[in-house]
């Protein structure tokens, strides 16, 4: 009786292996996108030395930039609003920046996941003029995420 049970179990296992299929791994084209490593928040509020900045992801996938004086309340009317910001990955470690263009000026909000200093601010605001000269660089810290 035991021989029949063992033979049945062995045959069942053999038939199971015949029916098994290998599932191919998904293709990644040799790199992992930064969005896979770090999740980009839908809304983030950053405070620099001179500004409060709110970045919102819009339903169309673009980003909205709103800024106020550092001492102003977020509920007040923004002093600047820029739409159609683009998320641009920076390498494969999770760093990225969101770029906005307004009247010839480029506004970039850099997310600093990987840095050479543990004291580096999590965000940096960089503003370049129409001639691509840097006119503002300020570290920013999350007020609300």
């Amino acid at each position: 009786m035991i021989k029949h049970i063992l033979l049945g179990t062995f045959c069942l296992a053999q038939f199971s292996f015949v029916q098994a299929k290998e599932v191919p791994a998904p293709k990644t084209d040799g790199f992992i996108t930064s969005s896979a490593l770090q999740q980009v928040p839908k809304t983030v509020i950053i405070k620099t030395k001179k500004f409060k900045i709110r970045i919102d992801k819009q339903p169309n996938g673009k980003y909205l930039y709103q800024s106020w004086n550092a001492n102003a309340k977020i509920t007040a009317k923004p002093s600047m609003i820029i739409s159609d910001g683009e998320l641009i990955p920076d390498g494969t470690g999770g760093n990225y920046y969101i770029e906005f263009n307004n009247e010839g000026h480029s506004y970039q909000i850099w997310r600093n996941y990987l840095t050479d200093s543990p004291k580096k601010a999590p965000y940096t605001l960089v503003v370049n003029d129409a001639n691509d000269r840097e006119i503002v660089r300020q570290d920013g810290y999350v007020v609300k995420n």
Side-chain angles (χ1 to χ4, degrees):
M1 176 76 172
I2 293 177
K3 288 182 183 178
H4 292 290
I5 293 174
L6 290 175
L7 180 62
T9 305
F10 176 74
C11 290
L12 183 62
Q14 292 299 318
F15 290 126
S16 296
F17 285 132
V18 170
Q19 296 294 327
K21 294 181 181 177
E22 184 176 334
V23 178
K27 293 183 180 181
T28 60
D29 295 331
F31 68 92
I32 299 173
T33 63
S34 63
S35 61
L37 295 174
Q38 300 293 340
Q39 195 65 263
V40 178
K42 289 184 179 182
T43 298
V44 65
I45 299 173
I46 305 158
K47 184 174 182 180
T48 69
K49 185 177 179 180
K50 295 184 178 183
F51 305 103
K52 280 185 188 167
I53 302 166
R54 179 179 171 142
I55 306 293
D56 293 301
K57 186 170 184 180
Q58 301 297 291
N60 65 0
K62 303 282 186 168
Y63 289 84
L64 179 70
Y65 174 103
Q66 299 175 75
S67 69
W68 296 261
N69 184 317
N71 298 325
K73 294 189 181 267
I74 283 285
T75 55
K77 183 179 176 183
S79 58
M80 182 182 300
I81 299 174
I82 310 171
S83 58
D84 294 331
E86 293 280 337
L87 179 98
I88 301 168
D90 183 40
T92 59
N95 287 352
Y96 61 85
Y97 64 96
I98 303 173
E99 184 170 42
F100 301 89
N101 294 301
N102 185 36
E103 298 178 2
H105 289 74
S106 166
Y107 295 77
Q108 298 174 345
I109 303 295
W110 286 82
R111 178 61 171 110
N112 307 310
Y113 282 111
L114 300 176
T115 68
D116 51 2
S117 170
K119 295 182 180 182
K120 176 73 174 153
Y123 287 91
T124 303
L125 166 66
V126 178
V127 180
N128 294 318
D129 66 9
N131 295 322
D132 206 28
R133 287 186 303 240
E134 187 175 291
I135 56 176
V136 174
R137 177 178 289 268
Q138 295 179 5
D139 287 339
Y141 295 90
V142 175
V143 175
K144 178 183 174 189
N145 198 4

